[in-house]
Amino acid sequence: MINSVGVVRKEAENCNCLQVFFVSGSFKVDSVEAKKKEENFRETLRDMANSKYEYVKSFELEDEVMLPNLMVVRIDGRDFSRFSQVHEFEKPNDETALNLMNSCSAAVLEEFPDIIFAYGYSDEYSFVFKKTSRFYQRRASSKVVSCASAEVLQAYLAWRQQDCHANNQYDTCFWMLVKSGKSVSETQEILKDTQKQQKNELLFQKFGINYKTLPELFRQGSCLFKKKVEETVKHDENGNPVKRLRRKAVFVHSENIAGRSFWNEQPSLYNDLGHFTKDIGKIEPDFIRSFQFENKLLPLTWVVVRIDGCHFHSGCSRGV
Ligand code: ATP
Ligand code: MG
Ligand code: MG
């Protein structure tokens, strides 16, 4: 009788308590009703201990991003196409909204010392945790991307920035055409199957826009990490500034955030996340698949399947 992970997972889905069990780390008591619920919940857990349901404890580990994987949490605005319409964002890039997103992310970086690097554009932000982070016992939902090495992280960042480049170039063409009087369907038809170079030409020929001169904030997205900066903390009695070095969240724009020249020049990045040993050309399709699909083992991860007999002891004693 082989007790595979799949079988255990199926049984657990039928267990009413499982959902509560997963959220136990963040259970909040803020009313009498909630207190009662919490007491019931604890009682259920006590009942489950030493019972046939004790195995569900092991599911806590299923959410853990194992060392030495690097954790990346990507947050993306929900239904932001509509949100940006309702709030009348400037298209394709509303600078005020982008700056607001950047300020919020800087506050997150300042708040959580374990976050070493962040990259964002449009309505998304990726937060990269330091290699050794124990944040939230390294437990996370399946939305978290775990990168098996600095090389995989490099591919992840290149992938997000390519998405930024491609989306922004398309959106710039799209909105210029729409603003010039074309309908949405006409615009989609014009842009269908066009390559990067053709879009650049369209912008230049029709609208006199040299894509490369558009703001870096729009074309490249924003990187955020802590840098030592000199700050004036006070003035002495003679009015001279007294300066101190402080680690402060700073924004940097770069054409290639996954390039060695960008990454390996920042001690705060390579110390906590590792060096990028070579520049990457084409991103490994397997890596991209692993970033997109949930519950998949990542490339560079050794796959070991252990098969363990279930109730083997009783089987032996019966002479099987
Ligand atoms: P989902 O909920 O699946 O993420 P979504 O509507 O949020 O759907 P995305 O693929 O995340 O879709 O794209 C984000 C949308 O929000 C795009 O349409 C983009 O144009 C718009 N958007 C986000 N930020 C800005 C901004 N600063 N200025 C203008 N538009 C923006
Ligand atoms: Mg979104
Ligand atoms: Mg998005």
Side-chain angles (χ1 to χ4, degrees):
M1 207 164 45
I2 305 299
N3 205 353
S4 76
V5 174
V7 173
V8 176
R9 200 194 274 274
K10 193 86 211 116
E11 283 179 41
E13 276 167 13
N14 297 330
C15 169
N16 291 337
C17 306
L18 192 70
Q19 235 183 338
V20 196
F21 191 76
F22 272 127
V23 298
S24 62
S26 57
F27 205 87
K28 268 196 186 153
V29 185
D30 46 13
S31 68
V32 176
E33 180 66 8
K35 259 194 177 146
K36 222 163 111 190
K37 271 192 191 153
E38 194 205 10
E39 192 39 50
N40 287 345
F41 164 68
R42 289 194 191 291
E43 213 166 273
T44 313
L45 281 187
R46 275 196 295 273
D47 289 349
M48 284 164 72
N50 303 318
S51 77
K52 66 173 178 166
Y53 292 118
E54 188 163 4
Y55 65 81
V56 296
K57 272 187 191 167
S58 63
F59 294 121
E60 278 195 76
L61 292 177
E62 276 201 1
D63 281 350
E64 185 178 335
V65 178
M66 296 288 180
L67 283 164
N69 285 293
L70 293 160
M71 294 188 288
V72 182
V73 175
R74 186 166 78 248
I75 295 171
D76 184 282
R78 186 160 164 223
D79 206 4
F80 240 62
S81 307
R82 196 177 149 273
F83 184 86
S84 60
Q85 250 178 356
V86 171
H87 294 277
E88 297 173 351
F89 278 24
E90 179 69 33
K91 287 293 184 178
N93 287 292
D94 188 296
E95 203 169 339
T96 313
L98 285 172
N99 287 334
L100 177 61
M101 276 260 295
N102 281 353
S103 303
C104 293
S105 301
V108 170
L109 201 87
E110 295 275 5
E111 177 78 20
F112 300 105
D114 276 15
I115 300 175
I116 301 302
F117 181 75
Y119 173 70
Y121 65 93
S122 182
D123 68 339
E124 74 164 63
Y125 242 99
S126 298
F127 296 95
V128 187
F129 286 71
K130 70 177 176 190
K131 271 192 282 195
T132 52
S133 177
R134 297 269 169 196
F135 188 71
Y136 222 98
Q137 290 89 49
R138 299 181 66 84
R139 286 170 62 188
S141 84
S142 52
K143 294 283 175 205
V144 169
V145 177
S146 83
C147 297
S149 63
E151 184 195 354
V152 183
L153 174 67
Q154 186 183 22
Y156 174 83
L157 295 175
W159 175 57
R160 291 328 296 150
Q161 195 173 35
Q162 274 187 15
D163 200 64
C164 170
H165 286 312
N167 280 348
N168 189 62
Q169 201 198 25
Y170 182 94
D171 286 351
T172 307
C173 294
F174 181 92
W175 287 104
M176 285 312 295
L177 287 164
V178 168
K179 284 176 187 174
S180 74
K182 296 266 183 253
S183 72
V184 168
S185 54
E186 280 170 336
T187 304
Q188 283 166 339
E189 197 51 41
I190 294 171
L191 294 178
K192 206 169 127 195
D193 300 329
T194 49
Q195 301 297 307
K196 201 170 145 186
Q197 193 52 34
Q198 290 167 286
K199 290 196 199 75
N200 275 348
E201 267 161 32
L202 183 147
L203 285 175
F204 194 70
Q205 305 294 344
K206 269 193 173 301
F207 307 106
I209 294 175
N210 178 354
Y211 185 74
K212 286 216 155 137
T213 61
L214 294 179
E216 292 171 332
L217 174 69
F218 303 165
R219 288 184 296 116
Q220 301 172 350
S222 302
C223 297
L224 182 57
F225 53 90
K226 286 194 188 133
K227 245 183 155 174
K228 280 189 180 147
V229 289
E230 209 175 39
E231 268 193 348
T232 303
V233 284
K234 60 177 183 180
H235 288 85
D236 65 17
E237 57 275 13
N238 301 323
N240 299 320
V242 178
K243 298 194 171 178
R244 293 258 189 289
L245 273 179
R246 189 171 94 82
R247 275 165 67 85
K248 197 179 171 200
V250 291
F251 284 101
V252 174
H253 297 281
S254 167
E255 183 80 45
N256 183 8
I257 62 168
R260 272 188 315 165
S261 57
F262 167 71
W263 194 263
N264 295 347
E265 267 172 23
Q266 306 297 340
S268 71
L269 300 185
Y270 61 70
N271 281 341
D272 286 315
L273 296 167
H275 278 94
F276 289 170
T277 51
K278 53 179 188 209
D279 280 323
I280 45 172
K282 191 172 173 287
I283 310 169
E284 286 278 344
D286 269 353
F287 285 6
I288 297 181
R289 276 180 44 227
S290 77
F291 302 145
Q292 286 172 316
F293 293 102
E294 291 162 14
N295 296 328
K296 286 226 168 176
L297 284 171
L298 293 161
L300 301 189
T301 307
W302 290 104
V303 180
V304 180
V305 177
R306 192 177 75 234
I307 297 173
D308 189 40
C310 182
H311 293 305
F312 224 66
H313 178 71
S314 56
C316 288
S317 59
R318 274 190 264 121
V320 178

